[in-house]
Amino acid sequence: MSVLKKLAGETIWYGLSQIVGRMVNFLLVPLYTAVFTASDYGIQNELYIYVAFLNILYAYGMETTFFRYASKSENDPQEVYNTVLSYIFVTTAIFSTVLILFAQPIATALGYPKLAHFIVWLAIIIAIDALLIIPYARLRVEHKAKQFAFTKLINIFVNIGLNVFFLYFCKNIFEGKFLPGLKSVITPIYDPEMGIGYVIISNLIANALVLVLLYRSFLRFRFKLNWKVFQPMLKYAYPLMFMGFAGITSQMLDTIMIKYFLPDNFYPGKDNQAVMGIYRACAKLAIFMNLGIQAFKYAADPFFFSKAEDKNAPDLFARVMRYFIIVGSVFLVLIGLNLDIIVMILRKPVFREAIGAVPFMLLGYLLFGVYANLSVWFKLTDKTVYGIWLVTGGAILSITLNYLLIPIMGYMGSAITVLITNLAMVIASYLIGQKHFYVPYSLTSAFIHLGLAAAVVFINQTLKFNSGLIGFLVHQLIFVIYFALVLFIERKEVIKVVSRFRKRK
């Protein structure tokens, strides 16, 4: 139980930087949906989806590779650190130089010929992200979760502060809504035509600050290109890169496909860029599920590797999966029952129109977390090629379903695709993984908790209880009943935990 306690403790710290930090960052959504049009918000999200793809390219699987090689007893962690970071430096310089040189043609190809300078700024942001990957990974390997959390939170709060400064204070002062005497002060630094550019500028400044905060990580670094050492790492890593591409494709490409495959005037009075903005705004409401999964992954990856040679590892991994599904299911119900309240964070009513798609995305993201748990088998057995086939299959399925469903169902087709794709990946990974690295997962427990949570959320959505005070109280009562049922189902485990707690007291 002590190892699970340690994993839980580190998850809390990583969660502090991811969940708490991003929840604060989530408060920018009301700002964005208040100051931007749906079309502008759609462009911003489209650009950052491309950034997500490029982040995978820049990292090319080296984060997980660093975990794998730095944790091997025969390797010198510093040597691994120097080698991996050296190659990241070289490839990052090449990739960002290409992006900057071809910024104008890229912007024109995307349909935004006047936004080439945004491409340049984003190229610098991605470069900084890439250079920080291995220093951050080293903090995780060394179990320095607090330092990891501190720097992440600084980045987030600076980013938020700059967004608020530019898009709220500067904008309103410039427009004369308050403190008109300061207009002459902010005029040299605020351009009302910049719009979503201030989101990118804020991101750039905040990222640059993290480079300063982690300067000690670079003081220990020694530039060293050793192909013999790096070659087996690259062989291990490149499948992970393709897995990353395929994973992003299945999770985020739907937004881009809405732009290109949604019939004109499918939603009367809205162009496809606006529909992208509406869909992504409502997708933000599923962020709580997504961030919980991300926080868990930060702690779980080094944890799984460190326990790989333990003879009790399969039983331990099965327990981790069981707890993950239980906690994830509870969060699914909690969020799903309170969407009517959460959706109010989207300031303009137009951004709330895709609320019906959120439950599908919530369950889909939870299933992706289950898949991330299952993926331990091909990482620990060095059979990452299977990971390529799994996520590539998921990506192909996602593209196919989006291509078929978007023209007839709009963004609802994309949300349903997220759910179906992740379910398919879970099933495939489980069936293949059990043959190569058997883990005694409790299928009965998984089916009960996932099925029960899904039933509660989707039945509630179908019945559509009054959204006023009565509806709110009904939703909380449903959650209390559901949670009591979960405790009853897991009563044996609850009794064990309570007994251990009493003994320690």
Side-chain angles (χ1 to χ4, degrees):
M1 195 69 183
S2 60
V3 291
L4 291 181
K5 182 180 178 181
K6 182 178 180 181
L7 175 62
E10 291 189 1
T11 299
I12 290 172
W13 278 108
Y14 292 126
L16 182 66
S17 62
Q18 294 298 308
I19 300 176
V20 176
R22 292 291 182 87
M23 282 179 65
V24 175
N25 199 19
F26 181 65
L27 297 179
L28 288 174
V29 175
L31 179 62
Y32 293 158
T33 55
V35 302
F36 297 146
T37 64
S39 292
D40 284 341
Y41 192 61
I43 294 171
Q44 176 202 330
N45 278 275
E46 180 185 0
L47 291 176
Y48 271 91
I49 288 173
Y50 293 130
V51 167
F53 278 96
L54 289 171
N55 280 334
I56 300 297
L57 175 64
Y58 276 60
Y60 52 96
M62 281 298 145
E63 181 180 41
T64 301
T65 301
F66 176 76
F67 290 139
R68 181 60 172 166
Y69 281 82
S71 62
K72 288 186 175 182
S73 57
E74 67 269 22
N75 291 335
D76 177 7
Q78 183 63 44
E79 182 77 8
V80 175
Y81 180 80
N82 290 337
T83 301
V84 174
L85 189 53
S86 294
Y87 279 91
I88 289 284
F89 261 108
V90 172
T91 53
T92 294
I94 294 172
F95 295 150
S96 281
T97 298
V98 171
L99 284 177
I100 292 170
L101 290 176
F102 292 92
Q104 187 58 62
I106 293 172
T108 301
L110 293 177
Y112 315 124
K114 297 181 179 180
L115 303 182
H117 52 298
F118 288 1
I119 304 299
V120 174
W121 298 345
L122 289 171
I124 299 172
I125 289 172
I126 301 167
I128 295 174
D129 283 339
L131 296 180
L132 291 172
I133 289 170
I134 305 306
Y136 269 130
R138 185 167 191 165
L139 290 178
R140 292 164 62 189
V141 167
E142 295 174 348
H143 301 287
K144 295 181 179 179
K146 294 180 181 179
Q147 186 178 353
F148 181 99
F150 173 76
T151 53
K152 285 283 186 179
L153 287 173
I154 290 294
N155 174 269
I156 290 168
F157 283 115
V158 169
N159 188 22
I160 292 171
L162 290 172
N163 271 274
V164 173
F165 173 72
F166 287 121
L167 297 176
Y168 180 75
F169 286 102
C170 289
K171 182 177 185 297
N172 286 309
I173 290 172
F174 185 87
E175 294 175 354
K177 294 182 179 179
F178 56 71
L179 301 175
L182 295 179
K183 183 174 181 178
S184 60
V185 177
I186 64 98
T187 298
I189 62 173
Y190 178 75
D191 179 2
E193 299 299 319
M194 184 68 72
I196 61 173
Y198 284 116
V199 177
I200 302 174
I201 291 174
S202 299
N203 191 175
L204 177 57
I205 297 173
N207 277 25
L209 178 60
V210 177
L211 279 175
V212 178
L213 293 175
L214 291 179
Y215 78 95
R216 291 184 181 276
S217 297
F218 294 98
L219 290 178
R220 293 187 290 173
F221 167 66
R222 296 294 180 269
F223 189 83
K224 187 175 183 180
L225 297 178
N226 188 328
W227 179 247
K228 289 184 178 180
V229 174
F230 186 69
Q231 188 176 19
M233 295 181 186
L234 185 61
K235 184 178 180 180
Y236 178 87
Y238 83 84
L240 298 174
M241 179 182 68
F242 287 107
M243 287 163 52
F245 280 134
I248 291 292
T249 296
S250 62
Q251 299 299 316
M252 304 184 73
L253 193 65
D254 53 355
T255 303
I256 307 298
M257 293 185 72
I258 287 174
K259 175 181 177 180
Y260 294 104
F261 294 104
L262 187 69
D264 292 338
N265 209 37
F266 186 91
Y267 296 98
K270 300 180 180 67
D271 59 29
N272 288 4
Q273 290 174 346
V275 177
M276 281 197 303
I278 293 168
Y279 177 66
R280 291 313 303 174
C282 282
K284 297 289 186 183
L285 304 181
I287 196 171
F288 301 103
M289 180 66 72
N290 234 353
L291 293 176
I293 292 168
Q294 185 63 41
F296 175 82
K297 285 181 64 180
Y298 271 118
D301 281 348
F303 172 80
F304 286 143
F305 281 121
S306 67
K307 299 300 176 184
E309 298 179 3
D310 190 326
K311 64 179 181 179
N312 296 318
D315 291 330
L316 181 61
F317 295 167
R319 290 169 64 194
V320 169
M321 174 70 88
R322 180 173 181 173
Y323 296 149
F324 175 85
I325 290 176
I326 293 171
V327 174
S329 297
V330 170
F331 273 96
L332 170 65
V333 174
L334 182 63
I335 299 168
L337 290 176
N338 289 284
L339 279 177
D340 287 343
I341 297 173
I342 298 173
V343 75
M344 300 308 293
I345 202 168
L346 306 179
R347 294 285 296 280
K348 296 177 182 176
V350 66
F351 285 105
R352 305 170 192 164
E353 294 178 6
I355 186 66
V358 177
F360 293 94
M361 288 186 278
L362 284 169
L363 182 55
Y365 292 151
L366 176 55
L367 289 173
F368 183 74
V370 174
Y371 168 77
N373 245 301
L374 289 171
S375 67
V376 64
W377 72 265
F378 58 75
K379 293 179 181 178
L380 295 183
T381 57
D382 292 344
K383 296 180 179 179
T384 50
V385 66
Y386 283 97
I388 293 180
W389 290 113
L390 287 167
V391 293
T392 299
I396 293 172
L397 178 61
S398 177
I399 292 172
T400 302
L401 289 177
N402 273 297
Y403 177 77
L404 295 174
L405 297 180
I406 286 175
I408 59 177
M409 300 180 68
Y411 46 63
M412 285 300 297
S414 292
I416 292 172
T417 295
V418 171
L419 174 56
I420 295 175
T421 299
N422 288 327
L423 177 60
M425 291 173 65
V426 165
I427 294 173
S429 183
Y430 174 79
L431 293 177
I432 299 172
Q434 291 298 83
K435 297 178 181 179
H436 296 274
F437 188 92
Y438 178 76
V439 177
Y441 296 117
S442 175
L443 295 183
T444 301
S445 175
F447 283 133
I448 289 175
H449 288 291
L450 290 173
L452 178 61
V456 172
V457 171
F458 286 105
I459 290 175
N460 173 73
Q461 184 186 34
T462 301
L463 296 178
K464 296 185 182 299
F465 292 107
N466 188 307
S467 60
L469 177 60
I470 294 178
F472 172 77
L473 295 176
V474 169
H475 289 157
Q476 308 321 305
L477 177 61
I478 292 173
F479 178 76
V480 170
I481 295 173
Y482 159 78
F483 191 69
L485 185 56
V486 170
L487 293 178
F488 176 77
I489 294 171
E490 297 295 330
R491 58 190 180 279
K492 292 182 180 180
E493 193 65 28
V494 171
I495 291 173
K496 289 180 183 178
V497 173
V498 172
S499 298
R500 292 192 187 100
F501 179 76
R502 286 179 176 175
K503 288 179 181 179
R504 288 172 184 171
K505 289 186 68 176

